[in-house]
PDB file of all heavy atoms in Angstrom:
ATOM      1  N   SER J1530      23.558  11.398   9.644  1.00  0.00           N
ATOM      2  CA  SER J1530      22.936  12.337  10.493  1.00  0.00           C
ATOM      3  C   SER J1530      23.977  12.747  11.295  1.00  0.00           C
ATOM      4  O   SER J1530      25.051  12.189  11.704  1.00  0.00           O
ATOM      5  CB  SER J1530      21.784  11.771  11.124  1.00  0.00           C
ATOM      6  OG  SER J1530      22.154  10.651  11.892  1.00  0.00           O
ATOM      7  N   ARG J1551      30.672  22.919   3.969  1.00  0.00           N
ATOM      8  CA  ARG J1551      31.472  22.072   4.787  1.00  0.00           C
ATOM      9  C   ARG J1551      30.926  22.148   6.161  1.00  0.00           C
ATOM     10  O   ARG J1551      30.851  23.241   6.728  1.00  0.00           O
ATOM     11  CB  ARG J1551      32.941  22.419   4.754  1.00  0.00           C
ATOM     12  CG  ARG J1551      33.633  22.340   3.446  1.00  0.00           C
ATOM     13  CD  ARG J1551      35.057  22.384   3.469  1.00  0.00           C
ATOM     14  NE  ARG J1551      35.540  23.633   4.129  1.00  0.00           N
ATOM     15  CZ  ARG J1551      35.766  24.754   3.528  1.00  0.00           C
ATOM     16  NH1 ARG J1551      35.539  24.799   2.207  1.00  0.00           N
ATOM     17  NH2 ARG J1551      36.186  25.956   4.046  1.00  0.00           N
ATOM     18  N   PHE J1632       0.261  59.043 -19.588  1.00  0.00           N
ATOM     19  CA  PHE J1632       0.185  60.286 -18.725  1.00  0.00           C
ATOM     20  C   PHE J1632       1.538  60.559 -18.070  1.00  0.00           C
ATOM     21  O   PHE J1632       1.815  61.726 -17.558  1.00  0.00           O
ATOM     22  CB  PHE J1632      -0.860  60.101 -17.712  1.00  0.00           C
ATOM     23  CG  PHE J1632      -2.298  60.189 -18.330  1.00  0.00           C
ATOM     24  CD1 PHE J1632      -3.087  59.071 -18.704  1.00  0.00           C
ATOM     25  CD2 PHE J1632      -2.931  61.420 -18.540  1.00  0.00           C
ATOM     26  CE1 PHE J1632      -4.315  59.132 -19.237  1.00  0.00           C
ATOM     27  CE2 PHE J1632      -4.109  61.485 -19.035  1.00  0.00           C
ATOM     28  CZ  PHE J1632      -4.863  60.351 -19.363  1.00  0.00           C
ATOM     29  N   ASP J1989      47.063  48.387   0.273  1.00  0.00           N
ATOM     30  CA  ASP J1989      47.289  49.853   0.252  1.00  0.00           C
ATOM     31  C   ASP J1989      48.217  50.136  -0.907  1.00  0.00           C
ATOM     32  O   ASP J1989      49.298  49.396  -0.934  1.00  0.00           O
ATOM     33  CB  ASP J1989      47.833  50.268   1.542  1.00  0.00           C
ATOM     34  CG  ASP J1989      46.845  50.330   2.579  1.00  0.00           C
ATOM     35  OD1 ASP J1989      45.817  50.926   2.384  1.00  0.00           O
ATOM     36  OD2 ASP J1989      47.103  49.677   3.856  1.00  0.00           O
ATOM     37  N   GLY J2000      47.578  36.236 -11.643  1.00  0.00           N
ATOM     38  CA  GLY J2000      46.685  35.072 -11.105  1.00  0.00           C
ATOM     39  C   GLY J2000      46.087  34.415 -12.375  1.00  0.00           C
ATOM     40  O   GLY J2000      46.149  34.822 -13.570  1.00  0.00           O
ATOM     41  N   PHE J2051      39.239  50.579 -27.883  1.00  0.00           N
ATOM     42  CA  PHE J2051      37.993  50.878 -28.713  1.00  0.00           C
ATOM     43  C   PHE J2051      38.272  52.358 -29.205  1.00  0.00           C
ATOM     44  O   PHE J2051      38.369  53.275 -28.480  1.00  0.00           O
ATOM     45  CB  PHE J2051      36.730  50.833 -27.839  1.00  0.00           C
ATOM     46  CG  PHE J2051      35.432  51.087 -28.529  1.00  0.00           C
ATOM     47  CD1 PHE J2051      34.757  50.088 -29.048  1.00  0.00           C
ATOM     48  CD2 PHE J2051      35.009  52.333 -28.913  1.00  0.00           C
ATOM     49  CE1 PHE J2051      33.508  50.108 -29.758  1.00  0.00           C
ATOM     50  CE2 PHE J2051      33.848  52.512 -29.611  1.00  0.00           C
ATOM     51  CZ  PHE J2051      33.073  51.335 -29.990  1.00  0.00           C
ATOM     52  N   THR J2154      50.170  56.570 -10.023  1.00  0.00           N
ATOM     53  CA  THR J2154      49.768  55.338  -9.374  1.00  0.00           C
ATOM     54  C   THR J2154      49.329  54.290 -10.527  1.00  0.00           C
ATOM     55  O   THR J2154      48.307  54.635 -11.182  1.00  0.00           O
ATOM     56  CB  THR J2154      48.761  55.571  -8.398  1.00  0.00           C
ATOM     57  OG1 THR J2154      49.336  56.362  -7.487  1.00  0.00           O
ATOM     58  CG2 THR J2154      48.393  54.276  -7.653  1.00  0.00           C
TER      59      THR J2154
END
Side-chain angles (χ1 to χ4, degrees):
S1530 61
R1551 299 192 303 271
F1632 287 95
D1989 286 315
F2051 186 96
T2154 303

